[in-house]
Amino acid sequence: YFFQSINIVYSKSLIISGNERLSNNDIQTLTTIDIFSNDLNEDSINLIIKDLYTSELIDTINFTESEKAFNINISETKIINEIYFNGNLRLKDELLKSSLTIQTGSIFKKSLLENDVENLKLIYASKGFNNTIINVTTEFFSQNKINVIFQVTEKNITKLKRLIFKGNNPFSYNHLSSR
């Protein structure tokens, strides 16, 4: 007897749900795989999901499979409605907002937010507040929009108690410390 292994690949269509701002045509532009094809398999679905995640327009993806179709339910990345600062007594909101890369009306991107927190800490450090703590929270404004809230905990200004010059022979201590 001779047995031959046969791999059966089932071809199915794709059903996308959960998209509100993005049309299926918009979603098609995010991937090289034809999402309208009725000849999709697990490999093509994996590539579509990977492409959607890398676009930063999709926040979450839930995948299920039925007998007749692959089902992808997406949650689109939220739009920033407003940006708020709480606890910042020494620096004004306008100064802090002007240094942000995230802006009202733009897509909320966690990667940009992390950079913005570091930039805000640098601004505080440049003013002598080296131990400032900045936490970020979000709150839903509506189904597609969020507010971003920066909670700032300002610590005391960093001061020098004493300045010592070592290894300096050409200039006197009084000359260097007077500047």
Side-chain angles (χ1 to χ4, degrees):
Y1 294 99
F2 177 71
F3 292 99
Q4 183 176 3
S5 174
I6 300 174
N7 289 336
I8 299 174
V9 177
Y10 295 100
S11 298
K12 299 179 183 180
S13 62
L14 174 63
I15 299 171
I16 298 175
S17 60
N19 47 325
E20 296 167 5
R21 291 186 319 271
L22 297 172
S23 69
N24 284 354
N25 288 330
D26 294 332
I27 293 171
Q28 176 60 70
T29 65
L30 303 177
T31 182
T32 57
I33 307 296
D34 181 8
I35 66 171
F36 301 108
S37 172
N38 290 325
D39 194 29
L40 296 172
N41 58 37
E42 288 182 2
D43 291 336
S44 57
I45 293 299
N46 285 334
L47 287 172
I48 291 170
I49 290 172
K50 180 182 173 188
D51 290 341
L52 294 179
Y53 267 128
T54 58
S55 74
E56 292 191 336
L57 295 174
I58 308 299
D59 191 35
T60 59
I61 298 173
N62 292 315
F63 171 75
T64 58
E65 183 178 357
S66 66
E67 285 185 29
K68 297 181 181 182
F70 296 108
N71 302 292
I72 294 179
N73 185 301
I74 64 171
S75 173
E76 298 169 349
T77 305
K78 305 296 183 218
I79 301 292
I80 298 171
N81 178 62
E82 193 58 62
I83 299 170
Y84 297 104
F85 290 91
N86 293 329
N88 55 312
L89 303 174
R90 295 179 172 104
L91 300 179
K92 296 187 183 270
D93 287 3
E94 295 77 26
L95 173 66
L96 299 176
K97 276 186 182 180
S98 69
S99 71
L100 298 176
T101 54
I102 63 167
Q103 298 294 320
T104 57
S106 65
I107 293 173
F108 178 74
K109 295 181 184 177
K110 292 177 185 173
S111 59
L112 293 179
L113 185 65
E114 292 166 1
N115 290 337
D116 283 343
V117 168
E118 292 306 312
N119 287 339
L120 291 172
K121 287 180 180 180
L122 288 174
I123 290 171
Y124 269 96
S126 73
K127 305 289 184 189
F129 301 100
N130 294 309
N131 299 317
T132 300
I133 299 169
I134 301 173
N135 294 311
V136 182
T137 58
T138 58
E139 67 179 10
F140 284 98
F141 177 76
S142 67
Q143 190 169 357
N144 293 326
K145 293 185 177 185
I146 60 170
N147 291 327
V148 178
I149 303 158
F150 291 89
Q151 183 62 46
V152 180
T153 305
E154 297 174 339
K155 303 289 185 171
N156 291 331
I157 195 165
T158 304
K159 296 180 182 180
L160 293 174
K161 286 184 180 179
R162 187 169 42 144
L163 184 61
I164 299 172
F165 298 101
K166 287 191 174 190
N168 174 50
N169 294 327
F171 300 101
S172 70
Y173 177 82
N174 289 337
H175 177 75
L176 290 175
S177 61
S178 67
R179 296 189 181 249

